[in-house]
Amino acid sequence: MRYVSVRAVLLPALTVAVLTPPAWADRPVPAPGPTPASPVPAVARTWPVGVHPLVLRGWEPPATVYGPGHRGVDLSAPAGAPVRAVAAGRVTFAGRVAGRGVVSVDLSGTDLRTTYEPVTPSVRKGDEVGPGDVVGTVERTGSHCGTATCVHWGLRRGGTYLNPLSLLPPWLLHRGPPRLLPVLEVPLPS
């Protein structure tokens, strides 16, 4: 009888111990966000495509590492359009990932990496690029932008995704198309 009472106590205790996850078990990991102590320097000197392309989808940081969001911006661009490096750097990847062309560039003098996709690369790993240098052309692939073709432009610092638009200085980010002003006729003295 005494054996049964010990068993009645130990069995539930062992069941709880086995089924309860230990303190070191995986917990939801918050999404890494920008570090306030290290802002993104506005080192870009050009847009990746066009002069001031339409942003089809903006940067939407995810709430968790694997959560939904948009880890870059989608810029409207026709298939075959040149894709340019926004700043000086070294190409760290130029190839295909999941059927799409990708170009990644480590930006000089920073701890930042920018990526462009879907792009048919015209550069190779290790190439040095300057601001405005062509790194490839927009691919005509099934676009994640719906019926429009676009370039997904991303920015990372280590494992943290950042808003690539923060690379653009205000004069480039907010500059609109050129406008002609009326010419005023000023009478000349006679």
Side-chain angles (χ1 to χ4, degrees):
M1 195 65 150
R2 187 173 184 177
Y3 173 75
V4 173
S5 64
V6 172
R7 185 175 176 202
V9 172
L10 284 180
L11 187 57
L14 285 173
T15 303
V16 169
V18 169
L19 296 178
T20 303
W24 48 264
D26 290 338
R27 293 184 179 131
V29 179
T35 308
S38 54
V40 174
V43 295
R45 296 294 168 249
T46 184
W47 284 86
V49 291
V51 176
H52 194 275
L54 178 65
V55 176
L56 298 175
R57 184 172 178 193
W59 185 64
E60 301 162 14
T64 62
V65 173
Y66 301 108
H70 194 238
R71 294 160 176 85
V73 294
D74 292 338
L75 305 174
S76 177
V83 178
R84 302 180 184 283
V86 297
R90 178 182 300 273
V91 177
T92 55
F93 182 83
R96 304 206 65 79
V97 175
R100 293 180 171 207
V102 177
V103 174
S104 293
V105 178
D106 279 356
L107 301 182
S108 299
T110 72
D111 57 351
L112 301 170
R113 173 178 290 172
T114 188
T115 59
Y116 315 95
E117 69 167 290
V119 174
T120 301
S122 60
V123 291
R124 290 189 285 186
K125 181 178 179 178
D127 287 352
E128 292 285 336
V129 294
D133 288 353
V134 175
V135 296
T137 56
V138 179
E139 286 184 350
R140 181 185 311 275
T141 63
S143 178
H144 65 280
C145 291
T147 58
T149 55
C150 68
V151 168
H152 178 83
W153 178 29
L155 177 66
R156 286 177 61 168
R157 173 180 283 133
T160 303
Y161 289 92
L162 303 168
N163 183 354
L165 294 178
S166 61
L167 285 173
L168 297 170
W171 62 266
L172 188 57
L173 183 61
H174 301 294
R175 182 176 64 184
R179 291 182 178 86
L180 294 176
L181 299 175
V183 176
L184 301 174
E185 290 187 30
V186 178
L188 296 173
S190 21

